[in-house]
Amino acid sequence: MLKQGDTVVCGLSGGADSVALLLVLDELKEKLGIRLEALHVNHCIRGEESDRDERFCSELCSRLGITFHSEKCDVTGTAREIGRSTEETARMLRYDIFSAYSKGKKLATAHNANDNLETALLNLARGSGLKGIAGIPCIRGNIIRPILTVTRDEIVSFLKDRGQSHVTDSTNLSDDYTRNRIRHHIIPLMQEINGSVIETSVNTLSALREENSLIESLTDEACSKCRSGSSFTGLTEYPPVIRKRCIARLLSENNIPYSFKRLEEADELLLRNGKLNVSDDLFLIAENGKIRLSSIKSQEEISYYGSLEMGVKKLYDGCSVYCERVECDNLKKIEAVHKNSTFYIMDYDKIRGKLIVRTRIYGDKIKLKGRNFTSSVKKLINEKIPSEKRNGLLFLEDEEGTVLAEEIGIADRTAPDENTSAFLVISFIRS
Amino acid sequence: MLKQGDTVVCGLSGGADSVALLLVLDELKEKLGIRLEALHVNHCIRGEESDRDERFCSELCSRLGITFHSEKCDVTGTAREIGRSTEETARMLRYDIFSAYSKGKKLATAHNANDNLETALLNLARGSGLKGIAGIPCIRGNIIRPILTVTRDEIVSFLKDRGQSHVTDSTNLSDDYTRNRIRHHIIPLMQEINGSVIETSVNTLSALREENSLIESLTDEACSKCRSGSSFTGLTEYPPVIRKRCIARLLSENNIPYSFKRLEEADELLLRNGKLNVSDDLFLIAENGKIRLSSIKSQEEISYYGSLEMGVKKLYDGCSVYCERVECDNLKKIEAVHKNSTFYIMDYDKIRGKLIVRTRIYGDKIKLKGRNFTSSVKKLINEKIPSEKRNGLLFLEDEEGTVLAEEIGIADRTAPDENTSAFLVISFIRS
């Protein structure tokens, strides 16, 4: 979880859990040979109370001599814009900020044993598989959860022993309705069956996570032997559990939702050959023990990748791109020229290095203009674009990533602002 | 689950679940090519209501033309005798009768999807591992559960469609307090989170059982490669999950209770060598990647196996056995001779074939005099005999199994009764 020389950024809300985590890390930092910082995200949704929490965290860190970062975000506005719940949006923005601050560092979050059992039960209720029922992982990428095996009671008594106060979130933002039903109703009932169910669950869930990891590593092996791109060869040699997890990964990477039943069907398909429609435009096709994910129109699949130059460039039959640098005061002229087609305007000087024009690639991401978070291009496309148009969509990228997604929008990073002196105008011409 | 030519004994309480199961099996029996019988166990604890249920089952079978067996058992008396709860005793006696009636046949029980989720939650609350959380197996030995994926609602509506009545157990014997908390309180709360949680759990639990089976089959493989008696060689080549399951099997076969923590300790031991006390008289001992279960006094372990003859026979240093055939009217004389030692009296003519005298063996079972169920000898010993005496205990077996367990008692099958004409008198002589 930690090694000497690591810098750990501790997510600090000011609540009991994160204050205890900060104290523990602070007490152990010399022994562990780590550097410690704290990061507070101010969701700005509780007015003065939000600011009080930020001050509390800042003062605590200043007393302990810990570097303190703080970032504000607009949860209410973003939630309205993207049509998600406040809880979900807060979580998304928080993890986006966490991610920005913890590059090359470890990020410690204060999930505890109670949170973990709640998550396991929530996932069981919703029908998740072993991975979900095993709860929250101790380590995911650079995120670590050092107090995942500590119960809420232990945390509260630790703080009491230290005489350390903490803040209480009056709206209990992180506790949505569903989690509260589990926390305040289901878990107390389980405690009537087993008084130390929280303590017991620490071992249960850790054993389940270990068992899930074993199956995951067998799946890794099978993938590395059988997988090439979107197809598997030789998967029939493996047990059904592994075959289904391999197929699940392929579907999941392509943002195709699946159920246990769907995986059963796919596995049967693999054994008997045939075709299974798994999303608007994609099929699983099995032939002679091979299985692959393929577009309905795979024969006529469109794919393009090349550098973008000024002027008009033909990309493929029926599709060209127009690209021009325009001084700010000439924008009116451009609007007149392109009045019958969609065009995109970016800040010419914000483009880094060479521009590439291409069709979509898997794993594409973009941080759109006016948004505080990065989106999956696949997700944006699936939400907005009819399936028959998706494969032909065009994208621009510079050295730092995707800057334009056709019919979706441009990147925040390259959007014009009041200091822009020249525009880059892009238009896609289709016949 | 079923193959052509199978005889299926359907456990029939007369409740909705088992009546639906009987109807389904009856409707499908020709298609499946099976023979169908029904077995009712009358627990005799609800007076007239118990007899009403038995009559209901008998009449239903007679109407359907299904062979009907019925057996009474004394739950209340047995529960008092063995100091267990009525629910537990009823279940034990029921399965004992099931087992007696289903030799060479399949026994179908009417567990449904609701029962299964309840069991999974109960096991999660109690801290069981993946196997327990995966719920009830569809097949265990010759026991099959054909309607395990059917919900209670579906069963009730199936019976309604058929216009088929069923009985209701006024005491709800099979539903103990704990299960009722889950059924009536926890599951309705989970249904608030996911209205179709029962239906969803069918797939979840079936996937978990499949994943557990995969890990079990990897454990089988490791055992067959590494295990010899009570020791493992080469286990360090396997992942921790498999190592721990191998050790868990060894402990479990020896009736040694273990926790996740204990398995962690045992696994650490395997990697670093040493000794771990796992029960009164047994240690796990790890040396150079080998691990074995060994008695504290393994050097002086007592083991004997040989045929029993009439007269006195020395078995090992300090232990002889005395054996005599005595006509009934001479019993008084015997009692006088053995007045200073414990002796055992069996019906001489009920002994089948040759008698063997031996020390304990693992897996030993005996159906004691006056009891309706078979007991594990290990369990009986652990309950009654101090650890230092256990290894030296002696047992007699005839061709049909164990007939005498020293300090425990004699088998029901060989107990004298009013028709006995000659006794077999056994006494163990220790110096």
Side-chain angles (χ1 to χ4, degrees):
Chain A
M1 189 178 272
L2 283 172
K3 58 178 202 297
Q4 276 222 332
D6 275 344
T7 298
V8 178
V9 180
C10 175
L12 183 65
S13 69
D17 298 333
S18 64
V19 169
L21 174 60
L22 187 76
L23 257 58
V24 167
L25 289 172
D26 187 52
E27 288 176 18
L28 294 175
K29 69 183 176 190
E30 277 167 28
K31 195 175 158 201
L32 296 169
I34 56 169
R35 269 186 304 273
L36 183 59
E37 303 174 359
L39 170 61
H40 178 80
V41 176
N42 186 339
H43 297 102
C44 304
I45 42 180
R46 291 171 291 132
E48 166 50 23
E49 191 179 298
S50 289
D51 296 334
R52 174 206 69 180
D53 293 356
E54 183 173 341
R55 270 196 313 278
F56 173 86
C57 294
S58 163
E59 283 162 16
L60 174 61
C61 289
S62 140
R63 179 164 65 76
L64 297 169
I66 296 169
T67 309
F68 179 70
H69 308 282
S70 169
E71 185 92 9
K72 287 185 163 58
C73 61
D74 175 17
V75 174
T76 318
T78 309
R80 201 181 311 119
E81 186 195 341
I82 62 172
R84 298 279 165 85
S85 73
T86 314
E87 290 83 359
E88 209 180 335
T89 309
R91 190 183 171 282
M92 192 179 68
L93 292 176
R94 191 165 59 240
Y95 271 86
D96 241 54
I97 294 169
F98 280 173
S99 154
Y101 272 86
S102 65
K103 286 209 164 64
K105 303 174 182 175
K106 298 277 170 70
L107 178 86
T109 69
H111 293 91
N112 64 32
N114 297 57
D115 298 325
N116 205 5
L117 180 57
E118 288 158 20
T119 300
L121 286 167
L122 183 61
N123 286 333
L124 178 61
R126 288 182 173 158
S128 134
L130 179 55
K131 189 185 162 189
I133 296 170
I136 307 167
C138 304
I139 303 175
R140 184 166 58 82
N142 71 333
I143 301 177
I144 60 171
R145 279 130 185 163
I147 58 171
L148 191 62
T149 59
V150 183
T151 67
R152 189 159 292 143
D153 286 349
E154 288 171 322
I155 288 170
V156 168
S157 93
F158 169 85
L159 289 178
K160 208 178 152 199
D161 285 354
R162 296 288 191 281
Q164 174 63 54
S165 62
H166 59 87
V167 300
T168 303
D169 180 337
S170 66
T171 64
N172 230 345
L173 177 72
S174 65
D175 300 341
D176 56 23
Y177 175 79
T178 309
R179 189 170 285 271
N180 273 331
R181 295 216 72 66
I182 295 177
R183 179 172 302 172
H184 299 304
H185 300 280
I186 296 184
I187 293 198
L189 284 163
M190 292 185 90
Q191 283 171 324
E192 288 179 25
I193 297 169
N194 172 6
S196 43
V197 68
I198 310 278
E199 291 80 358
T200 306
S201 74
V202 168
N203 292 318
T204 308
L205 298 183
S206 136
L208 293 183
R209 284 195 299 277
E210 198 175 45
E211 293 183 319
N212 183 60
S213 298
L214 171 64
I215 300 179
E216 277 297 283
S217 73
L218 295 171
T219 308
D220 289 343
E221 257 177 56
C223 278
S224 80
K225 281 197 187 164
C226 300
R227 182 165 178 180
S228 154
S230 290
S231 78
F232 290 97
T233 310
L235 210 52
T236 49
E237 304 291 311
Y238 290 84
V241 169
I242 305 297
R243 299 199 299 256
K244 285 186 273 190
R245 286 221 184 183
C246 284
I247 295 168
R249 283 191 190 181
L250 181 62
L251 296 176
S252 161
E253 284 165 22
N254 288 282
N255 291 315
I256 302 169
Y258 57 86
S259 60
F260 289 114
K261 190 165 163 288
R262 170 53 47 89
L263 294 181
E264 286 290 342
E265 289 168 349
D267 189 48
E268 274 169 33
L269 184 78
L270 170 62
L271 300 180
R272 68 163 165 72
N273 294 348
K275 217 169 165 181
L276 181 71
N277 189 197
V278 289
S279 76
D280 280 356
D281 56 345
L282 291 171
F283 278 77
L284 276 176
I285 300 172
E287 287 164 328
N288 309 318
K290 292 187 189 187
I291 191 161
R292 65 192 158 88
L293 189 64
S294 187
S295 159
I296 308 181
K297 299 174 188 161
S298 60
Q299 273 69 33
E300 35 178 308
E301 213 167 72
I302 298 152
S303 167
Y304 183 83
Y305 187 96
S307 61
L308 184 69
E309 290 117 41
M310 293 295 146
V312 174
K313 177 173 180 169
K314 181 179 168 184
L315 302 181
Y316 53 82
D317 271 356
C319 178
S320 303
V321 60
Y322 166 83
C323 174
E324 193 182 355
R325 180 186 183 282
V326 181
E327 298 297 324
C328 278
D329 25 353
N330 284 331
L331 190 60
K332 284 259 172 312
K333 191 191 85 186
I334 295 298
E335 284 172 351
V337 169
H338 294 282
K339 66 173 186 243
N340 293 320
S341 65
T342 314
F343 61 99
Y344 303 85
I345 299 174
M346 293 187 280
D347 184 324
Y348 184 89
D349 299 305
K350 287 181 179 167
I351 303 292
R352 298 281 158 257
K354 223 174 62 167
L355 270 174
I356 297 289
V357 57
R358 57 167 172 76
T359 45
R360 61 201 287 215
I361 52 172
Y362 289 127
D364 230 351
K365 289 185 173 177
I366 189 166
K367 191 175 172 195
L368 287 175
K369 185 181 160 186
R371 291 199 184 174
N372 283 322
F373 53 91
T374 304
S375 306
S376 148
V377 163
K378 176 89 194 187
K379 207 167 163 222
L380 293 169
I381 288 180
N382 286 353
E383 282 167 11
K384 297 189 180 172
I385 317 286
S387 59
E388 67 278 9
K389 287 183 75 177
R390 291 177 193 164
N391 279 336
L393 287 181
L394 289 165
F395 296 81
L396 297 195
E397 64 177 49
D398 71 358
E399 278 178 9
E400 294 185 0
T402 309
V403 296
L404 187 160
E406 186 181 1
E407 305 216 15
I408 303 284
I410 63 166
D412 196 50
R413 167 167 68 82
T414 54
D417 58 28
E418 64 279 13
N419 301 317
T420 301
S421 62
F423 295 122
L424 181 72
V425 179
I426 304 286
S427 172
F428 300 108
I429 306 148
R430 299 184 184 269
S431 57
Chain B
M1 189 177 273
L2 283 171
K3 58 177 202 298
Q4 276 221 333
D6 275 344
T7 298
V8 177
V9 179
C10 176
L12 183 65
S13 70
D17 298 332
S18 65
V19 169
L21 174 60
L22 187 76
L23 257 59
V24 166
L25 288 173
D26 187 53
E27 289 177 16
L28 294 175
K29 68 182 176 191
E30 278 168 28
K31 194 174 158 202
L32 295 170
I34 56 169
R35 268 186 305 274
L36 184 58
E37 304 174 358
L39 170 60
H40 177 80
V41 175
N42 186 338
H43 296 102
C44 304
I45 42 180
R46 292 170 291 131
E48 166 49 24
E49 191 180 298
S50 289
D51 296 333
R52 174 206 69 181
D53 293 356
E54 182 173 340
R55 273 197 310 279
F56 173 87
C57 293
S58 162
E59 284 161 17
L60 174 62
C61 289
S62 140
R63 180 164 64 77
L64 296 170
I66 296 169
T67 309
F68 178 69
H69 309 281
S70 169
E71 185 92 11
K72 286 185 165 56
C73 61
D74 174 16
V75 174
T76 318
T78 310
R80 200 181 312 120
E81 187 195 339
I82 62 172
R84 298 278 164 86
S85 73
T86 314
E87 291 83 0
E88 210 180 335
T89 309
R91 189 182 174 283
M92 192 179 69
L93 293 176
R94 192 165 60 239
Y95 272 86
D96 241 54
I97 294 169
F98 281 174
S99 155
Y101 273 87
S102 66
K103 286 210 165 62
K105 304 175 182 175
K106 298 276 169 73
L107 178 85
T109 68
H111 293 91
N112 63 31
N114 297 56
D115 298 325
N116 205 6
L117 180 56
E118 288 159 20
T119 301
L121 286 167
L122 182 61
N123 287 333
L124 178 61
R126 287 182 174 159
S128 133
L130 178 55
K131 189 183 162 191
I133 296 169
I136 307 167
C138 303
I139 303 175
R140 184 167 57 82
N142 71 333
I143 301 177
I144 60 171
R145 279 130 185 163
I147 57 171
L148 192 61
T149 60
V150 183
T151 67
R152 188 160 292 143
D153 286 349
E154 288 171 322
I155 289 169
V156 168
S157 94
F158 169 85
L159 290 178
K160 208 178 152 198
D161 285 354
R162 295 288 189 284
Q164 174 64 54
S165 62
H166 60 87
V167 300
T168 304
D169 181 337
S170 65
T171 64
N172 230 345
L173 177 71
S174 65
D175 300 341
D176 57 23
Y177 175 79
T178 308
R179 188 170 284 272
N180 272 331
R181 296 216 70 67
I182 295 176
R183 178 172 301 172
H184 300 303
H185 299 280
I186 296 184
I187 293 197
L189 284 162
M190 292 185 90
Q191 283 171 322
E192 288 180 24
I193 297 169
N194 172 7
S196 43
V197 67
I198 310 278
E199 290 80 357
T200 307
S201 74
V202 167
N203 292 317
T204 309
L205 297 184
S206 135
L208 292 183
R209 284 195 299 276
E210 197 175 45
E211 293 184 318
N212 184 59
S213 298
L214 171 64
I215 300 179
E216 276 298 282
S217 73
L218 295 172
T219 308
D220 289 343
E221 257 177 57
C223 277
S224 81
K225 281 197 188 163
C226 300
R227 182 164 178 181
S228 154
S230 290
S231 79
F232 290 97
T233 311
L235 210 52
T236 48
E237 303 292 309
Y238 290 84
V241 169
I242 304 298
R243 298 198 299 257
K244 284 186 275 190
R245 286 221 185 184
C246 284
I247 295 169
R249 283 191 190 181
L250 181 62
L251 296 177
S252 162
E253 283 165 22
N254 288 282
N255 292 315
I256 301 169
Y258 58 86
S259 60
F260 290 113
K261 190 164 162 288
R262 171 50 49 88
L263 294 180
E264 287 289 343
E265 289 167 350
D267 189 48
E268 275 168 33
L269 184 77
L270 170 61
L271 302 180
R272 69 165 163 73
N273 295 348
K275 217 169 165 181
L276 181 71
N277 189 197
V278 289
S279 76
D280 279 355
D281 56 345
L282 290 171
F283 278 77
L284 276 175
I285 299 172
E287 286 163 328
N288 309 319
K290 293 186 188 186
I291 192 162
R292 64 191 159 88
L293 190 64
S294 187
S295 158
I296 307 181
K297 299 175 188 162
S298 59
Q299 273 68 34
E300 35 178 307
E301 212 168 72
I302 299 153
S303 167
Y304 183 84
Y305 186 96
S307 62
L308 184 68
E309 290 116 41
M310 293 296 145
V312 174
K313 178 175 181 170
K314 180 180 169 185
L315 302 182
Y316 53 83
D317 272 354
C319 178
S320 302
V321 60
Y322 166 83
C323 174
E324 193 183 356
R325 180 185 182 283
V326 180
E327 297 298 325
C328 279
D329 24 353
N330 285 331
L331 189 59
K332 283 259 171 312
K333 191 191 84 185
I334 296 298
E335 283 172 351
V337 170
H338 293 282
K339 66 174 185 241
N340 294 320
S341 64
T342 315
F343 61 100
Y344 302 85
I345 298 174
M346 294 186 280
D347 183 324
Y348 184 89
D349 299 304
K350 287 181 179 168
I351 303 292
R352 298 282 158 255
K354 223 173 60 167
L355 269 175
I356 297 289
V357 57
R358 57 166 172 78
T359 44
R360 60 201 288 215
I361 52 172
Y362 290 126
D364 229 351
K365 288 184 174 179
I366 189 166
K367 192 175 173 195
L368 286 175
K369 184 181 161 187
R371 291 199 184 174
N372 283 322
F373 51 91
T374 305
S375 306
S376 149
V377 164
K378 176 88 194 186
K379 209 169 162 223
L380 294 169
I381 288 180
N382 286 354
E383 281 167 10
K384 297 188 180 173
I385 317 287
S387 60
E388 67 279 10
K389 288 182 76 177
R390 292 176 193 164
N391 279 337
L393 288 182
L394 289 164
F395 297 81
L396 296 194
E397 64 177 48
D398 70 359
E399 277 178 10
E400 295 186 359
T402 309
V403 296
L404 187 160
E406 187 181 1
E407 306 216 14
I408 303 284
I410 63 166
D412 196 49
R413 167 167 67 83
T414 54
D417 58 30
E418 64 278 14
N419 302 317
T420 301
S421 62
F423 295 122
L424 182 71
V425 179
I426 304 286
S427 171
F428 301 108
I429 306 148
R430 299 186 184 267
S431 58

